[in-house]
Amino acid sequence: MVTSRDVARVAGVAQSTVSYVLSGKRPTSEETRKKVEAAIGQLTYHPNAGARALASRRTRVIGLVIPFIRDLHMNSIMEFISVIATTARSHDYDILLVTEDEGADGIRRVVGQQICDGLILMQVEGEDARVPVVRDLKVPVVLIGIPQDPAGLVCIDADFEMAGRLCVHELSAAGHTRIAVLGWPAEVVKRPINYVNRFLAGVTRAARDCRVGLLELPGGTDRASVARSVRQGVDQTGPVPAFIAPDSGAQELVQQALFSQGLTPGVDVSVIGSTLAVVAERQLVPLTTIDLKPAAVSARAVEILCGLLEAAEYDVNEVLELIPPAIERRASVVGT
Amino acid sequence: MVTSRDVARVAGVAQSTVSYVLSGKRPTSEETRKKVEAAIGQLTYHPNAGARALASRRTRVIGLVIPFIRDLHMNSIMEFISVIATTARSHDYDILLVTEDEGADGIRRVVGQQICDGLILMQVEGEDARVPVVRDLKVPVVLIGIPQDPAGLVCIDADFEMAGRLCVHELSAAGHTRIAVLGWPAEVVKRPINYVNRFLAGVTRAARDCRVGLLELPGGTDRASVARSVRQGVDQTGPVPAFIAPDSGAQELVQQALFSQGLTPGVDVSVIGSTLAVVAERQLVPLTTIDLKPAAVSARAVEILCGLLEAAEYDVNEVLELIPPAIERRASVVGT
DNA sequence: GCCGATCATCGATACGTATCGACCACGCCG
DNA sequence: CGGCGTGGTCGATACGTATCGATGATCGGC
């Protein structure tokens, strides 16, 4: 194994000089720097992470607490993870996975053992068991998602309220005056997942502003219940029905239900959904969606955490940052 | 910060004794052990990972090299990652993510810096740029997937050859004598992804054994090309057509194409696919599938790697282990 | 031509754990 | 009863890096 002492010997300097060349925490002559860099290249030296962590009390590792696998949202989860890992690397941090099935102990463990310098929590819900644990942790933590009580926490999420407004404005602009909102399945609504309420609040507010009528319908994951809600929506929203169906798991089912009623999105019915672009484009009719910008949210979470980590003292200022979504117009909305 | 020295002081023993109680590498009296454990609990001591790694030259971390996001296989990727992380934890290892966009350097970096003790490579393809890099690494590496030349490597994968045979046997047993095989999209076939060839080899061999005719058709990711191949298959495989459609990305498209031809899987056409159970059950007709057991494959990869890590000397015996898949009968196969 | 200041470098030490050799107190066997 | 092995513990040291204080060299100002 090659150590900084070996590098120092080859370069003809002291070990501490090698360290200063690498960190730049003290001025170094051009000449010395070149000799050291040459030696590093020649020996293919890699600083030992354990020793570095021990001496500097920094690991340059971020713990990422990933949620259980519960449904088929998993493709978007993978996008989150991937972007987080890449962004972290661009700040010279690595990502350590912390699975939620270890529960609170897992979080306490990685922080206690000082395996990582900070944490990112994915998919934080309204009442999240992890929140009380991280609240009085002595390392910086960034939450993706907004818990019921975000006091003193650093949170980031998509702006679901704005997403709701965008949907209504788009349909209103297309001439619709009565809109059916196909909610989330009951098991999602029951756990207080904040974003559901925020989305609906945005929808409601925009509906009032635009003088548009709303019809809230229950969502579901199975064909039958989606079909039932769709039928109800078609009956009650006028000659050219309009749907907002934000649950990314139900996109196919909604379109199938409409087709079996003899309706074609973009022709005699309007639909706005929310899912990844690749999924939206694969639908029978390419779906107009709200892009919640998961990549931007995850990248920003990493940026914020890295900022806190570099700051000499992480004064835990409360942060609540919302990333504005954008509408992606495809072919599923029709003007009336 | 609480150190083992603090624990020792509280327990009234030497620091080394604390270490031995924790590792069990030397015998300890019942009494001492209790005192130490009490002190650990009282102080909530967590051994410092960096110091541990430095002294023991082991990090108890496994590097997981995850592939690019290229298609919508991502839900299965997430399943892999999740199972790998959980299984690793059950062996007291943590998982560090290594994204492939760092390329070969990323692998060399984590090994060089001794951030991890070993590696798992996901989604290894026939000609994989990572394989030459890991081949002469001095740490144990387990590949998920089989490269073109697996000599000297430790590989594990689903038994795609057997999967192919299972498909043919099932359809043959149902009375089909001519079977259409809907392949993978051209871009998948072009990169030599071994499992494609292995699957087709299994299909071919079983077809010969069962005296069944085969019709190989091009796959695709878009509606049009899938529809074209399906139409061709329907025309050329007899009164009750039979399809094998292993590409998990095309399951919906195949069913939709059949429906639009007026055919219902399980009634007047047979289809066998391969995808996650949750996806199979969501189809219009619940799909009979080959379960490639991704969870078993990933768990086994971790087990093997942990075995190599615990072994005093990792003599790099070549390993090639295939996990047998299973058929999951649902409703998409009809007897003739 | 001498003195303080600045720059570049060196030597020494600390970080917290694992592990080796040494040590003591037993008990067992001859 | 003496010596030998063994179970249980301690003290000391090594692991590789970061960082502090000290040292020597160089330079400008008077």
Side-chain angles (χ1 to χ4, degrees):
Chain A
M1 171 185 199
V2 183
T3 72
S4 61
R5 190 163 272 115
D6 299 327
V7 174
R9 194 176 310 123
V10 170
V13 299
Q15 179 268 328
S16 55
T17 303
V18 175
S19 180
Y20 285 122
V21 167
L22 255 53
S23 70
K25 293 196 177 174
R26 280 198 188 173
T28 308
S29 75
E30 182 72 11
E31 188 196 346
T32 304
R33 194 174 326 134
K34 275 187 186 156
K35 282 193 297 184
V36 169
E37 278 163 4
I40 287 178
Q42 181 190 326
L43 300 175
T44 65
Y45 165 71
H46 292 274
N48 179 287
R52 195 180 262 239
L54 181 57
S56 69
R57 314 179 134 286
R58 298 260 164 156
T59 63
R60 301 210 72 87
V61 169
I62 293 172
L64 177 64
V65 186
I66 59 174
F68 281 123
I69 320 175
R70 23 176 81 104
D71 44 25
L72 269 185
H73 277 48
M74 288 193 279
N75 36 19
S76 79
I77 291 186
M78 195 54 216
E79 167 134 20
F80 272 97
I81 292 180
S82 189
V83 172
I84 287 174
T86 305
T87 312
R89 276 309 304 148
S90 77
H91 290 261
D92 201 27
Y93 279 88
D94 274 297
I95 293 294
L96 188 94
L97 287 184
V98 183
T99 54
E100 208 181 335
D101 51 295
E102 250 195 294
D105 290 338
I107 296 177
R108 274 192 279 262
R109 182 179 62 82
V110 293
V111 172
Q113 296 189 158
Q114 308 196 41
I115 297 184
C116 56
D117 298 334
L119 289 177
I120 295 180
L121 265 56
M122 282 179 59
Q123 306 265 100
V124 173
E125 302 179 357
E127 300 290 342
D128 199 300
R130 297 168 294 177
V131 169
V133 180
V134 301
R135 183 158 254 136
D136 40 25
L137 235 41
K138 280 172 218 70
V139 299
V141 181
V142 172
L143 318 194
I144 299 181
I146 317 281
Q148 217 70 290
D149 173 20
L153 296 170
V154 179
C155 304
I156 181 163
D157 204 354
D159 189 340
F160 281 90
E161 206 265 351
M162 178 171 170
R165 283 184 280 134
L166 283 177
C167 289
V168 173
H169 285 142
E170 181 76 5
L171 291 174
S172 170
H176 296 281
T177 55
R178 189 159 172 78
I179 299 172
V181 183
L182 215 64
W184 281 263
E187 69 263 27
V188 175
V189 177
K190 244 181 293 174
R191 304 180 267 149
I193 300 191
N194 248 333
Y195 66 76
V196 171
N197 298 328
R198 287 186 277 142
F199 184 87
L200 293 178
V203 167
T204 308
R205 181 177 139 200
R208 200 173 48 236
D209 291 352
C210 301
R211 300 166 188 287
V212 160
L214 281 187
L215 174 65
E216 288 196 29
L217 298 169
T221 50
D222 60 308
R223 192 175 315 278
S225 57
V226 170
R228 193 175 330 115
S229 285
V230 165
R231 209 173 314 122
Q232 204 177 335
V234 169
D235 290 345
Q236 302 182 19
T237 57
V240 181
F243 284 89
I244 299 174
D247 182 18
S248 78
Q251 313 288 325
E252 292 93 344
L253 297 180
V254 171
Q255 286 218 6
Q256 288 171 13
L258 287 170
F259 271 106
S260 70
Q261 303 247 328
L263 295 173
T264 304
V267 176
D268 35 26
V269 58
S270 289
V271 182
I272 298 183
S274 178
T275 183
L276 295 182
V278 274
V279 175
E281 283 156 7
R282 269 181 91 103
Q283 301 301 308
L284 290 160
V285 171
L287 188 66
T288 292
T289 55
I290 301 298
D291 179 3
L292 292 166
K293 304 203 178 280
V297 173
S298 0
R300 190 74 191 112
V302 176
E303 310 270 354
I304 293 176
L305 183 58
C306 290
L308 292 174
L309 289 174
E310 302 304 334
E313 347 210 327
Y314 22 83
D315 32 18
V316 202
N317 299 344
E318 183 173 328
V319 174
L320 207 161
E321 194 170 313
L322 297 176
I323 301 288
I327 189 155
E328 300 215 315
R329 297 189 178 83
R330 294 199 181 79
S332 62
V333 170
V334 58
T336 67
Chain B
M1 171 183 201
V2 182
T3 71
S4 61
R5 190 162 273 113
D6 299 326
V7 173
R9 193 176 312 120
V10 170
V13 299
Q15 179 268 329
S16 54
T17 302
V18 175
S19 181
Y20 284 123
V21 167
L22 255 53
S23 70
K25 292 196 178 177
R26 280 198 187 173
T28 308
S29 74
E30 182 72 12
E31 188 196 348
T32 303
R33 194 174 326 135
K34 274 187 187 155
K35 282 194 296 185
V36 170
E37 279 162 4
I40 287 178
Q42 181 191 327
L43 300 175
T44 64
Y45 164 71
H46 291 276
N48 179 287
R52 195 182 263 239
L54 181 57
S56 69
R57 313 180 136 284
R58 298 259 164 157
T59 62
R60 302 209 72 86
V61 170
I62 293 172
L64 178 63
V65 186
I66 60 175
F68 280 122
I69 321 174
R70 23 175 82 105
D71 43 25
L72 269 185
H73 278 48
M74 287 191 281
N75 35 20
S76 79
I77 290 185
M78 196 53 215
E79 166 135 21
F80 272 98
I81 292 180
S82 189
V83 171
I84 286 173
T86 304
T87 311
R89 278 307 306 147
S90 77
H91 291 260
D92 202 25
Y93 280 88
D94 274 297
I95 294 294
L96 188 93
L97 285 184
V98 183
T99 54
E100 207 181 336
D101 52 297
E102 250 196 295
D105 290 338
I107 296 178
R108 275 192 279 262
R109 182 179 61 83
V110 293
V111 172
Q113 296 190 157
Q114 307 196 43
I115 297 184
C116 57
D117 298 334
L119 290 176
I120 294 179
L121 266 55
M122 280 178 61
Q123 307 265 99
V124 174
E125 301 180 355
E127 300 289 342
D128 200 301
R130 298 168 294 177
V131 169
V133 180
V134 301
R135 183 158 254 136
D136 40 29
L137 237 41
K138 279 172 217 68
V139 299
V141 180
V142 173
L143 317 193
I144 299 181
I146 318 281
Q148 217 69 291
D149 174 20
L153 295 170
V154 179
C155 304
I156 181 162
D157 204 354
D159 189 340
F160 281 89
E161 207 266 351
M162 179 171 169
R165 282 184 281 134
L166 282 177
C167 288
V168 172
H169 284 143
E170 182 76 4
L171 292 174
S172 170
H176 296 281
T177 56
R178 192 159 170 76
I179 299 171
V181 183
L182 216 64
W184 281 264
E187 69 263 27
V188 174
V189 177
K190 245 183 291 175
R191 303 179 269 149
I193 301 191
N194 249 333
Y195 66 75
V196 171
N197 298 328
R198 288 186 276 142
F199 183 86
L200 293 178
V203 168
T204 307
R205 183 178 136 197
R208 202 173 46 237
D209 291 353
C210 301
R211 299 166 189 286
V212 160
L214 282 187
L215 174 64
E216 289 196 29
L217 298 169
T221 50
D222 60 308
R223 192 175 315 278
S225 56
V226 169
R228 195 177 327 118
S229 286
V230 166
R231 210 173 314 123
Q232 205 177 335
V234 169
D235 290 346
Q236 302 181 20
T237 56
V240 181
F243 284 88
I244 299 175
D247 182 17
S248 77
Q251 313 288 326
E252 291 95 345
L253 297 180
V254 171
Q255 286 217 6
Q256 288 170 14
L258 287 170
F259 271 106
S260 69
Q261 302 247 326
L263 295 174
T264 304
V267 177
D268 35 27
V269 58
S270 289
V271 181
I272 298 183
S274 177
T275 183
L276 296 182
V278 272
V279 176
E281 282 155 7
R282 269 181 90 102
Q283 301 301 308
L284 291 162
V285 171
L287 188 66
T288 292
T289 56
I290 301 298
D291 179 2
L292 292 166
K293 304 204 178 279
V297 172
S298 359
R300 190 74 191 112
V302 176
E303 309 270 354
I304 293 176
L305 183 58
C306 290
L308 292 174
L309 289 173
E310 302 305 333
E313 347 210 327
Y314 23 82
D315 31 19
V316 202
N317 298 344
E318 183 175 329
V319 175
L320 208 161
E321 194 172 313
L322 297 176
I323 302 288
I327 190 155
E328 300 214 314
R329 297 190 177 84
R330 294 197 181 80
S332 63
V333 170
V334 57
T336 68

